[in-house]
Amino acid sequence: MTTPRILAAAYAALAVLGFAGGPPWVLTPLCLAALIALGELWLRALAGEAMPTVTRIGLAAAAGLVSLPFLAITLHATGILIRPRALAVGLAVLATVLGVIVLLRERADGAPVDPRLPRTVAAVAIPGLLTLVVGFLALQAYDWLPHPPQPGYTSLALNGWAGDIDRPVAIPARGVHVPVRVSSAGRPAATEPLRVRVGTRLVSGRALAVVPGTTRSVDVFVPAPPDNCLHRIEISLGATSTVFYGHGPGQRRC
């Protein structure tokens, strides 16, 4: 198979994967075809000489698979969200770069392409596709089977502006209202004590109704610490809690 045809096949598969979408049974063989094409381009770019068919197929499959984490790391390092469309575009760019290298190399030395490659790729792609289909059906069957219920939980976390706290907070003399997120699932409705501690001192407490299957934001009043020293501020709901550090407006230095 010629290099332009391999490039065309890779572009077509990546275009469907990144922009058209579809059911998994359609996208899986397209993903496999794109990775095999990309792996073959890697081989032609890095090792243009002929090699045994089995060795070539194994190296092409490995090179195609390695391209995915390589691209994911590149996207993460550049601050681009790892999404199907971003991966498809990135793989297309990689295929273009490899294709240009291969075409220049083929023009320079006129190396022939192994005519057995299409049949060998099919011999590997078909069993691989069958393996993916069987694995997909096995996962679907596992989802259909009965499972034990998940353990219940009640969670408490800083919310809103407080969720961005990454350093001690300067609390004014009037105190501050801190938003917290309360979530619960898998447990019966209950009333839990909501407490605020500054250091070891309990400064406030009230009962809060916890409704299962809900997530809501609750404002908790935190009074100013008595001095400018750094204090551990703990907001607890029953057995769960969240912590940050703060200091008051006093003049005393610690």
Side-chain angles (χ1 to χ4, degrees):
M1 183 180 292
T2 62
T3 298
R5 290 182 178 178
I6 294 176
L7 279 171
Y11 290 149
L14 291 172
V16 175
L17 290 170
F19 298 93
W25 62 270
V26 173
L27 298 182
T28 298
L30 286 176
C31 182
L32 183 62
L35 293 179
I36 289 177
L38 196 62
E40 175 60 22
L41 290 174
W42 272 112
L43 286 185
R44 295 189 182 192
L46 299 177
E49 72 274 5
M51 62 182 69
T53 302
V54 175
T55 303
R56 190 175 191 89
I57 288 298
L59 290 176
L65 290 173
V66 167
S67 300
L68 282 176
F70 169 77
L71 179 60
I73 293 173
T74 302
L75 292 176
H76 177 73
T78 55
I80 301 175
L81 292 178
I82 301 175
R83 296 288 187 268
R85 183 168 297 181
L87 288 173
V89 172
L91 290 176
V93 172
L94 179 59
T96 301
V97 173
L98 293 174
V100 170
I101 295 174
V102 173
L103 291 173
L104 292 176
R105 185 171 189 169
E106 289 177 349
R107 177 173 293 184
D109 57 22
V113 178
D114 189 351
R116 299 172 297 175
L117 181 59
R119 295 193 299 271
T120 309
V121 169
V124 173
I126 292 175
L129 178 60
L130 291 176
T131 301
L132 291 174
V133 170
V134 171
F136 174 76
L137 293 177
L139 290 175
Q140 290 293 104
Y142 176 79
D143 290 337
W144 293 333
L145 292 174
H147 301 286
Q150 296 294 322
Y153 70 91
T154 297
S155 67
L156 179 72
L158 297 175
N159 196 31
W161 66 265
D164 296 326
I165 292 176
D166 57 0
R167 65 191 65 184
V169 177
I171 301 177
R174 65 179 182 275
V176 65
H177 286 87
V178 178
V180 295
R181 185 177 64 253
V182 178
S183 301
S184 182
R187 288 185 176 180
T191 299
E192 299 282 355
L194 180 63
R195 300 187 177 98
V196 178
R197 287 183 172 86
V198 177
T200 58
R201 182 168 58 98
L202 178 66
V203 297
S204 68
R206 62 186 174 94
L208 180 70
V210 179
V211 181
T214 62
T215 297
R216 58 175 173 151
S217 182
V218 178
D219 283 341
V220 178
F221 179 72
V222 177
D227 49 43
N228 197 260
C229 300
L230 193 63
H231 294 268
R232 181 179 185 270
I233 300 172
E234 178 184 8
I235 303 174
S236 63
L237 179 65
T240 185
S241 64
T242 184
V243 173
F244 65 97
Y245 289 84
H247 58 83
Q251 298 299 318
R252 177 186 171 187
R253 299 291 178 179
C254 300

